[in-house]
Amino acid sequence: MKSNRILAICILLIGVGFLNAQTTIYDANRWMGSDLNGTARFVGMGGAMGALGGDITTMGTNPAGIGIYRSNDFMVSFGFDNTGTKANGASLDKFHGSFDNAGFVFSTKIGNTTALRFANFGFNYRKMKSFNRSMLMSGVFNTSQTVQMANMVNFDSYGNRDPFTEAALRSDDAFQNPELPWLGIMGYNAHLVNPVYGEADPDNPDAEPPFKGYLPYFEAGDAVSQSYRSKESGGIHSFDLNGALNFYDRFYVGATLGLYSVNYDRTSEYNEDFTDKDGNGHGGYTLGNDFWVDGSGVDFKLGFILRPFESSSFRIGAAVHTPTFFSLKERNTAYINFDLNEDTRGITRPYDARGNDTEGEYEYKLVTPWKFNASMGYTIGSSVALGVEYEYSDRTKAKMKDPDGYELGQTEDIKAMMKPVHTLRVGAEFKLAPEFSFRLGYNHITAPLKSDAFKYLPVNSMRTDTEFSNPGVTNNYTFGCGYRGESFYVDMAYLYNTYKETFYAFDSLELPGTKVTNNNHKVVLTVGMRF
């Protein structure tokens, strides 16, 4: 695996040498996909309602589902969730409240004998993805983030050894120099990367010794006690505008215009304390990062539901989602608090030429891949509803572009390290009485990234957050219940979401990944009225 990783690094260095960017494929991956969220009925059935329809959340999966409606509908959903992470024996749980869904459907009956029976229109707000999460982990390793800091000031974007000069790193406008990495500058200021000189020329004793580059503060044989904590918040919010038609009560077609709002905040602290091979401590540091993203997006969805046999309730459905076109703006700032010995302690952070604190800013566009959805549904009288759904999206086809529309080198990173994502959803609803229902659901979502994917920061990056995680398979287990009166209804659902990931505090072939288990619990309540 290491030889494959080294080859990938060489390829990426060549690509990035021509066109640098601050963002990474892990940022791109964050904006793709969605949580299982929406109405409690949709969640309780595992989202497997693409062919069954009749739920407002299907605007975002199969827009034809709104064509099933024969009355007006208005609903709101809210919930409570507990996000939990466990790594190296350390557990952290956080409780959050959430507003998940609000929408309405207007159903217009056209006629009983006309080809077009109903024309329906609707709007739905849904919190498509939540970023609320906290992490805490620690361990002792034989490598250090200071090695990555040294590499960033020792090598150019083509992978050649070409150290930046000390004068460049210590200058008042170092953080405004577009060629210099912020992490490398701060590492130099904190004495975590230190200059190395060759032997003086005996024939020219007045000449300065030759400058050879920089060495990390980490020394071979050091045991490095590492700890990391972070807090994330925000989400992707979708606003769906839908229209759907019902032909002959057998064929339904619909379209949805999706508008998206993105906000994401992350605050993190990474700490290293050094102990030499004799067991003596020799200092440490803390790297703090603040990272914010805001943006918007748009896409279009088209779908149908067909009941192929007039005498059967069996339905098939299909939908296609265009790429989502995101425009995103990142901001970041950082600090290093270091305490290596009595003479080298303090704090350093990015500053402008006047010595004032500053932050990095970067804008880019993301074009997500096409998404394809196929589903089947079957009802047994009015007592049982069964649904199964498959969704495919090839994330290797995503593209990252600058604000002018030119592709960034990260598009090649996406092709090299992302994978197609397959999603399977199954669900069932059982009516225990005409007014009361019980539901079950399950989702299986494959990993979006290769297991040896890594986060590459360009040598001129303003970004200083080196951490990254490679998630594995995601499983969702759900159950729920509901009450239907003549007009009023209420539904409740429970969701258990679980997945594992491999976490790395920084990019190093010598750093073993930390196994993290995520177990998340959510309760959703929907209240609504049909009239």
Side-chain angles (χ1 to χ4, degrees), residues 255-525:
T256 296
L257 175 67
L259 305 175
Y260 302 93
S261 173
V262 177
N263 68 290
Y264 174 74
D265 299 334
R266 181 181 66 236
T267 300
S268 64
E269 283 191 344
Y270 173 70
N271 176 262
E272 290 190 348
D273 289 305
F274 300 91
T275 303
D276 65 23
K277 58 185 177 181
D278 297 321
N280 300 312
H282 59 98
Y285 71 95
T286 297
L287 170 64
N289 277 291
D290 291 306
F291 180 63
W292 309 272
V293 181
D294 293 287
S296 59
V298 61
D299 68 7
F300 185 76
K301 307 173 185 71
L302 185 66
F304 75 86
I305 297 173
L306 173 66
R307 185 161 60 87
F309 310 109
E310 186 173 5
S311 60
S312 173
S313 62
F314 174 71
R315 301 171 186 168
I316 58 174
V320 58
H321 301 189
T322 70
T324 304
F325 298 89
F326 283 113
S327 295
L328 300 155
K329 182 177 181 179
E330 300 175 343
R331 295 183 297 120
N332 66 280
T333 189
Y335 67 88
I336 292 180
N337 193 342
F338 59 99
D339 186 2
L340 307 181
N341 54 56
E342 292 184 0
D343 299 323
T344 51
R345 60 179 56 173
I347 189 167
T348 180
R349 62 178 75 244
Y351 52 83
D352 60 22
R354 296 183 177 182
N356 299 316
D357 291 349
T358 190
E359 63 182 34
E361 186 176 293
Y362 185 72
E363 297 184 38
Y364 68 98
K365 296 180 183 295
L366 171 68
V367 182
T368 70
W370 289 78
K371 188 180 293 183
F372 304 94
N373 179 295
S375 55
M376 294 184 294
Y378 186 68
T379 58
I380 302 174
S382 59
S383 300
V384 179
L386 305 172
V388 61
E389 193 167 319
Y390 169 74
E391 195 168 83
Y392 173 81
S393 179
D394 186 356
R395 294 199 182 177
T396 66
K397 304 298 184 183
K399 298 179 181 179
M400 301 181 76
K401 301 181 178 182
D402 69 13
D404 295 322
Y406 294 100
E407 279 196 21
L408 301 172
Q410 277 73 359
T411 295
E412 294 302 317
D413 303 0
I414 288 172
K415 292 179 181 179
M417 291 188 280
M418 286 192 177
K419 299 195 300 185
V421 173
H422 307 267
T423 301
L424 176 66
R425 306 183 183 108
V426 294
E429 180 180 64
F430 308 92
K431 285 197 174 181
L432 307 178
E435 298 87 4
F436 296 98
S437 300
F438 177 75
R439 306 175 184 108
L440 293 170
Y442 170 70
N443 285 182
H444 179 85
I445 307 167
T446 61
L449 293 163
K450 295 180 180 178
S451 60
D452 58 351
F454 62 95
K455 182 176 182 177
Y456 174 75
L457 291 182
V459 296
N460 67 343
S461 180
M462 293 182 292
R463 293 278 291 274
T464 56
D465 52 329
T466 60
E467 69 269 32
F468 62 96
S469 292
N470 292 333
V473 168
T474 297
N475 289 293
N476 292 315
Y477 304 88
T478 70
F479 68 84
C481 57
Y483 167 80
R484 287 286 190 277
E486 290 186 6
S487 58
F488 173 79
Y489 63 90
V490 59
D491 296 303
M492 186 176 69
Y494 166 77
L495 164 66
Y496 172 58
N497 164 271
T498 180
Y499 67 97
K500 295 183 178 181
E501 60 186 319
T502 305
F503 173 85
Y504 300 87
F506 53 90
D507 179 30
S508 171
L509 293 172
E510 306 304 321
L511 179 67
T514 299
K515 303 301 181 182
V516 181
T517 300
N518 297 271
N519 294 315
N520 306 312
H521 307 267
K522 185 178 181 71
V523 175
V524 183
L525 181 69

Side-chain angles (χ1 to χ4, degrees), residues 74-124:
F74 172 79
M75 80 290 294
V76 294
S77 303
F78 53 92
F80 304 93
D81 58 85
N82 184 80
T83 58
T85 60
K86 184 176 181 180
N88 289 344
S91 298
L92 192 62
D93 295 278
K94 292 292 184 180
F95 183 80
H96 308 275
S98 62
F99 182 71
D100 299 300
N101 158 256
F104 58 83
V105 174
F106 290 136
S107 181
T108 303
K109 185 173 182 179
I110 305 301
N112 292 321
T113 58
T114 57
L116 177 61
R117 303 292 169 84
F118 284 86
N120 299 335
F121 304 90
F123 166 82
N124 187 44

